[in-house]
Amino acid sequence: MKRILKALTPVVSLAALAAAPVALAGYKAESAYCYKNTDGSGGCYGSLLGFRNHAGANTYAYFVQYYSGVKYFYANYTSGTTTTYFSCTPNTATGAQWTKALNHSGYFSVYWDASGMCNSLYLYNGSQYANF
């Protein structure tokens, strides 16, 4: 039985390698998008690099925390010739991640409710953001 398993190990290993996805070495995700619903709720997602390199001259996004402790997310997003301004203040749970967001260089998504309260913050760092 051990001899059969040892004989099959190279075959299984090669099959696993053949089924593996293509490597994305050096890939950088440069996306940027924001939207606002009719009630004022909305969201922004992408990477800070994506916002910086966006075709819209007025497009930007940033997380800020003032010395007073007040925290905000700000963004401008240009679509065509229209630039829309976005902002939100984090709730307690989202605010707990704010220090990470200030130092973040990968993909993020932030969503807010109609009152302008950031109620969701997702941060993702992958190897494609290593040269940010």
Side-chain angles (χ1 to χ4, degrees), residues 3-119:
R3 191 177 301 178
I4 293 172
L5 289 176
K6 285 183 181 180
L8 287 178
T9 300
V11 173
V12 172
S13 297
L14 287 174
L17 284 174
V22 176
L24 297 174
Y27 169 74
K28 293 179 188 173
E30 292 187 29
S31 60
Y33 186 73
C34 291
Y35 68 93
K36 193 178 289 187
N37 298 317
T38 54
D39 67 354
S41 64
C44 288
Y45 53 88
S47 66
L48 294 177
L49 182 61
F51 275 86
R52 180 185 309 145
N53 293 334
H54 188 267
N58 298 318
T59 297
Y60 66 81
Y62 64 93
F63 297 88
V64 64
Q65 179 173 340
Y66 296 105
Y67 288 111
S68 64
V70 175
K71 304 167 187 171
Y72 290 102
F73 169 78
Y74 294 108
N76 266 2
Y77 184 77
T78 304
S79 177
T81 59
T82 305
T83 300
T84 307
Y85 174 75
F86 304 88
S87 71
C88 66
T89 305
N91 62 16
T92 305
T94 305
Q97 299 181 65
W98 220 251
T99 302
K100 292 178 184 177
L102 292 171
N103 297 310
H104 191 66
S105 60
Y107 177 87
F108 72 89
S109 63
V110 61
Y111 301 97
W112 54 87
D113 60 21
S115 69
M117 184 72 58
C118 308
N119 53 25

